[in-house]
Amino acid sequence: MNFIMKATAASLATIVALSAPASAELTGELKINLDTSNPAPRATMEAMISRFQALNPELNITTTVIDREAYKTQIRNFLSADAPDVLTWYAANRMKPYVEAGLFEDVSDLWAEPAIAGSLASTKGALTLDGKQWGVPYSYYQIGVYYRQDIYEELGLSEPADFNEMLANCEAMIASGRKCYTIGTKWLWTAAAWFDYINMRTHGFDFQMEMARGEVKWTDPRVYETFENWGKLVRMGAFIDDHQNKDWQQSLPFVVNGEAGAILLGNFTVSPLREAGLTDDQLDFHQFPPITPGVALSEAAPTDSFHIAANAQNKENARAFLRYLVSPAEQTIINNGANLTQLPVNSAAAVDDDKFLKQGFEMLSTNSPGGVSQFFDRDFPAEIAQAAMEGMQEFMVFPDNLDDVLERIEAVREDSY
Amino acid sequence: MTTKSAWNITLAKQGWYKRNEIALTPWLFLIPGIVMFTMYVVFPIFQSFQISLFKWDGLGKLGTHGEYVGLANYEKLLTRDRSFNISLWNNLKWLIFYLVSIPAGLLIALFLNQAVRGIRLYKSLFFFPFVISQIVVGLVFTWFYDPQYGLFNGIIGFVGFEPINVLGDPGLATYGVIAAGVWPQTAFCMILYLTGLNSVDTEQVEAARLDGAKGMKMLWYVILPQLRPATFIAFVVTVIGSLRSFDLIAIMTNGGPFGSSRVLGFYMFEKSLSEYGFKMGYGAAIAVILFLIMMIFIGYFLWRTYQDEKAANQ
């Protein structure tokens, strides 16, 4: 492999593309850093790596799994000080600081290969900055309302067709002595899911993106409208108490015990809920209902990705690993209901025959005409995301502080764009 | 005379090092310390000053990615940043309420300073919180305060109060975290006082007793003055400890709810190194201000030590 390493960058892509089908066994080292510390993703990744190892028995693979929240602060250290070859991270704006600092490897050459160019086209935009690609996706998932079907049936409720029905359902839920939605906002981002949906349903996808680019003041009347819709839920007591010091995992028992009817989160919620004992008859999924009539439905579908560190020692092995993990066969396995329970990024891969994955895939491919965003903290610049999510948490506890909250976020926006 | 010249001759015969041994040896011993201190303390202080004048995300090289902004970071910090004000106030709260651990430590030390069977065991049990990691202390207190299952709400419920979510209430969160910090700090002060009490002059105590002093009077006029060195160390360590509070906040509230329990150290971390923090220059400016505040206390500490040494040498 050494002669390839010495080849010039321009010829490198073609050589690799030609030699890939021959797939000579890899040798040397491969260092992988993973943030998949939750049980199901961890097992999935470790199984995938061991399959890759089996194909390349001579390759010495070192895997480091870091706690998901801690990973977010450690990444900058290991990228510059002790760079792994391959690492997990998030698409869109979340990778921008590292791309700008030259810490992520440009992998546009991989995207030019026919095997990837055609089958990953749908997520290419999320991995593209400055016209180049900086990683490959391995999974994405829908976000929506996961609700206790059995409780809804007991109360005679059905999936809400619009926001008023959503509020009416919630009334009934509260009347039965339950909370409508569970949430844990200690790490802030869960509150942003609510903002994303209520904002996109109130004003549409394009407005959300204008906000992300900093073109709209946070004190704009339209932003107030979004928060007022959200406030209807907050003021009626739709959310569980004391969510500000729970993480999302700690908020799940409320759904499991039937103390709350539903949760708005990504599909990764399903696996812990199933493990806690909820069957597919008890748990169901629905799309976030429309709020303003006529606004096209849009969705948030965060894409998780693998990247190569610019300071990596074994970039060829790393590229081979990325090629392997986006292959249709691997995509089908790692995203199935027994593993990540998420959606495969490769169009040739099969979506698992899983209740939630089927609904999510259908929603994203047929019922999201407005557009698909990544997620609040991946679409908005880091500084705004931090200040805004903190404000959202405050709003969910003290809805009367709204003026103050929005002025504070606006001050950060003015400073940062 | 002969001996002196003989001495000089020996000196001349000896090497350069031997001749200057008395002057050099202390410096030789100091070199590792000085090198470390310069490299890891003095140099970073000046570097922080430098970085605080830039707008820089902390990822690329300062020279190419940083943008020189002069004192703009300080101007924004001191005039327009409410989170900074909250953090500063919280630091002040920490400073004041953390000091509770000094009298608390003294009280426990006085209580434990007796010859009873098994006293060593009791002493080590009281010292235990200082031995365990701050992270564990933080976790234990987080569970203690848990609004649903926590012992704290069980206790106040028993006395007839409504349950409160200490760490979820922006007005109470800081006090909740300080209380968790006071626990191990009390143990530390207790140890300082216990060693201090060992060296209390029994003759003076006897004399005072003969003069009819007891109880509070005995404590105030006879025991405490003798414990002054211990009090001084306890004070300085507690003040500095309160200013560097970080781990408990990170583990218990993560600065929340909505940033109400941040202190300067945590805010600095959040701005420059956390998940969404890419403002190294701004973080450095916070660090510099925290450094200046700390210098007041450290300066006082050094001045006092210097004065004491001078008095002792006279």
Side-chain angles (χ1 to χ4, degrees):
Chain A
M1 295 301 279
N2 261 338
F3 74 97
I4 295 182
M5 305 266 284
K6 282 172 191 158
T8 60
S11 61
L12 190 128
T14 40
I15 295 172
V16 171
L18 291 174
S19 67
S23 95
E25 276 181 17
L26 302 170
T27 53
E29 302 277 331
L30 181 63
K31 262 178 74 185
I32 307 175
N33 278 14
L34 299 175
D35 70 342
T36 50
S37 60
N38 288 322
R42 179 175 188 147
T44 304
M45 287 300 161
E46 281 170 353
M48 177 182 74
I49 291 167
S50 68
R51 286 191 296 274
F52 186 68
Q53 175 82 79
L55 287 180
N56 304 286
E58 297 295 302
L59 186 64
N60 187 12
I61 304 180
T62 326
T63 310
T64 313
V65 184
I66 299 168
D67 172 74
R68 200 173 171 88
E69 297 296 340
Y71 190 94
K72 293 170 180 171
T73 58
Q74 286 179 23
I75 178 169
R76 67 182 79 198
N77 294 340
F78 66 64
L79 273 182
S80 46
D82 178 26
D85 299 310
V86 179
L87 67 148
T88 51
W89 192 237
Y90 312 101
N93 245 335
R94 284 302 286 277
M95 64 179 186
K96 200 174 173 190
Y98 307 104
V99 168
E100 279 177 354
L103 292 170
F104 275 1
E105 170 93 347
D106 175 3
V107 293
S108 304
D109 54 317
L110 277 180
W111 285 83
E113 294 171 14
I116 291 181
S119 48
L120 298 186
S122 64
T123 46
K124 190 170 181 178
L127 273 309
T128 303
L129 283 176
D130 305 329
K132 294 173 192 148
Q133 286 75 46
W134 303 94
V136 297
Y138 66 89
S139 183
Y140 73 111
Y141 49 89
Q142 80 269 22
I143 291 176
V145 182
Y146 294 83
Y147 69 98
R148 283 288 297 271
Q149 200 174 5
D150 50 341
I151 297 177
Y152 271 46
E153 274 164 17
E154 180 194 319
L155 299 174
L157 307 174
S158 55
E159 295 184 1
D162 59 30
F163 194 53
N164 287 333
E165 254 179 63
M166 189 173 179
L167 294 174
N169 278 356
C170 190
E171 294 276 357
M173 190 68 76
I174 292 171
S176 76
R178 299 179 177 95
K179 291 289 183 182
C180 315
Y181 302 101
T182 187
I183 187 170
T185 59
K186 183 176 181 186
W187 298 100
L188 307 177
W189 58 268
T190 45
W194 282 91
F195 174 82
D196 271 0
Y197 275 95
I198 296 176
N199 196 38
M200 288 195 293
R201 291 289 185 270
T202 310
H203 297 295
F205 180 79
D206 295 336
F207 180 73
Q208 169 93 354
M209 289 301 122
E210 278 168 37
M211 285 189 78
R213 289 192 298 270
E215 294 161 13
V216 182
K217 280 186 189 261
W218 277 79
T219 45
D220 189 285
R222 288 171 294 174
V223 180
Y224 268 96
E225 261 179 74
T226 298
F227 276 93
E228 271 154 26
N229 282 333
W230 192 354
K232 286 177 195 163
L233 286 165
V234 175
R235 289 205 168 83
M236 73 196 286
F239 300 99
I240 60 163
D241 298 326
D242 302 324
H243 55 76
Q244 67 270 35
N245 42 10
K246 291 185 174 59
D247 55 29
W248 69 268
Q249 288 95 334
Q250 288 169 319
S251 75
L252 295 182
F254 289 85
V255 176
V256 176
N257 303 333
E259 294 163 69
I263 184 168
L264 175 76
L265 214 61
N267 203 55
F268 51 81
T269 334
V270 171
S271 125
L273 285 179
R274 275 180 180 152
E275 260 161 45
L278 291 184
T279 64
D280 282 8
D281 294 330
Q282 289 174 296
L283 193 66
D284 203 359
F285 171 82
H286 71 78
Q287 189 171 16
F288 200 95
I291 295 179
T292 309
V295 168
L297 295 181
S298 45
E299 288 299 319
T303 306
D304 291 344
S305 48
F306 268 101
H307 304 265
I308 301 177
N311 300 332
Q313 302 293 315
N314 312 289
K315 290 184 181 171
E316 277 323 302
N317 289 344
R319 281 188 161 77
F321 182 70
L322 297 195
R323 254 181 235 119
Y324 177 75
L325 71 93
V326 295
S327 66
E330 270 310 313
Q331 278 296 304
T332 307
I333 299 173
I334 65 172
N335 286 300
N336 71 17
N339 286 302
L340 293 177
T341 324
Q342 295 185 2
L343 295 166
V345 290
N346 192 314
S347 56
V351 176
D352 195 30
D353 186 22
D354 175 279
K355 180 180 174 182
F356 299 98
L357 289 182
K358 279 195 298 189
Q359 291 189 60
F361 186 69
E362 199 191 312
M363 176 179 86
L364 288 172
S365 47
T366 66
N367 205 16
S368 169
V372 177
S373 65
Q374 281 296 318
F375 191 76
F376 187 81
D377 67 355
R378 305 186 191 190
D379 295 323
F380 285 63
E383 203 189 355
I384 300 286
Q386 162 86 28
M389 296 195 307
E390 204 173 280
M392 292 170 195
Q393 188 197 34
E394 178 167 351
F395 171 73
M396 287 188 75
V397 181
F398 300 112
D400 295 335
N401 293 1
L402 182 59
D403 287 336
D404 189 44
V405 163
L406 291 182
E407 270 162 34
R408 222 162 49 210
I409 306 173
E410 174 57 18
V412 178
R413 186 197 69 90
E414 271 167 23
D415 265 354
S416 75
Y417 282 101
Chain B
M1 279 307 273
T2 41
T3 40
K4 187 152 189 207
S5 62
W7 179 236
N8 278 338
I9 291 160
T10 8
L11 266 187
K13 275 188 201 152
Q14 284 166 340
W16 179 82
Y17 173 72
K18 263 287 179 227
R19 270 180 283 135
N20 299 290
E21 200 175 13
I22 308 284
L24 280 178
T25 314
W27 288 103
L28 269 181
F29 282 108
L30 279 173
I31 279 177
I34 289 176
V35 169
M36 291 286 177
F37 192 74
T38 318
M39 226 159 72
Y40 294 108
V41 180
V42 180
F43 179 64
I45 289 173
F46 287 101
Q47 209 176 21
S48 292
F49 272 113
Q50 189 207 357
I51 294 173
S52 72
L53 303 176
F54 283 82
K55 187 181 174 190
W56 180 45
D57 66 2
L59 289 172
K61 284 218 159 55
L62 180 63
T64 49
H65 282 75
E67 178 197 334
Y68 182 79
V69 290
L71 293 173
N73 284 330
Y74 293 96
E75 190 251 316
K76 188 180 166 197
L77 256 187
L78 298 173
T79 57
R80 282 178 287 139
D81 190 341
R82 198 154 37 149
S83 304
F84 175 76
N85 291 344
I86 294 174
S87 310
L88 196 60
W89 274 113
N90 281 341
N91 259 129
L92 197 68
K93 286 180 197 164
W94 268 89
L95 199 60
I96 294 167
F97 289 98
Y98 211 49
L99 290 176
V100 170
S101 47
I102 297 177
L106 175 65
L107 199 76
I108 297 173
L110 290 172
F111 174 67
L112 289 179
N113 190 40
Q114 43 189 319
V116 187
R117 201 181 143 82
I119 192 73
R120 273 162 190 258
L121 177 70
Y122 302 136
K123 280 182 186 171
S124 42
L125 282 178
F126 272 96
F127 188 58
F128 188 64
F130 187 72
V131 179
I132 54 179
S133 154
Q134 291 263 306
I135 300 298
V136 177
V137 173
L139 275 177
V140 167
F141 268 80
T142 310
W143 295 326
F144 176 66
Y145 289 135
D146 187 286
Q148 259 114 30
Y149 316 106
L151 195 59
F152 179 72
N153 273 320
I155 295 170
I156 64 167
F158 192 72
V159 195
F161 285 103
E162 288 289 304
I164 44 176
N165 180 2
V166 178
L167 297 180
D169 184 322
L172 294 175
T174 295
Y175 298 108
V177 180
I178 296 174
V182 163
W183 188 44
Q185 191 64 23
T186 301
F188 182 64
C189 294
M190 177 200 83
I191 282 294
L192 286 177
Y193 279 121
L194 271 178
T195 44
L197 282 170
N198 272 339
S199 57
V200 164
D201 191 347
T202 41
E203 281 178 22
Q204 281 191 29
V205 178
E206 286 296 316
R209 197 163 278 156
L210 286 179
D211 287 344
K214 53 186 166 187
M216 282 308 284
K217 276 212 160 134
M218 171 78 106
L219 177 67
W220 191 254
Y221 292 107
V222 182
I223 309 287
L224 271 188
Q226 296 194 53
L227 289 176
R228 239 190 80 206
T231 310
F232 178 62
I233 295 286
F235 179 75
V236 169
V237 172
T238 306
V239 164
I240 291 174
S242 78
L243 286 172
R244 20 175 291 203
S245 51
F246 176 88
D247 24 18
L248 283 175
I249 297 167
I251 196 78
M252 291 176 73
T253 63
N254 193 34
F258 16 99
S260 58
S261 62
R262 285 191 191 110
V263 293
L264 288 179
F266 190 80
Y267 189 44
M268 165 188 82
F269 164 77
E270 214 173 60
K271 275 288 166 192
S272 51
L273 293 166
S274 76
E275 188 181 350
Y276 303 104
F278 292 98
K279 303 188 83 178
M280 200 54 99
Y282 201 65
I286 302 171
V288 167
I289 290 180
L290 184 58
F291 169 74
L292 294 178
I293 297 173
M294 277 204 182
M295 271 319 278
I296 298 173
F297 293 99
I298 296 172
Y300 168 74
F301 174 72
L302 290 177
W303 180 77
R304 270 289 300 271
T305 320
Y306 177 70
Q307 293 292 324
D308 285 356
E309 299 256 308
K310 222 165 63 176
N313 286 339
Q314 268 164 10

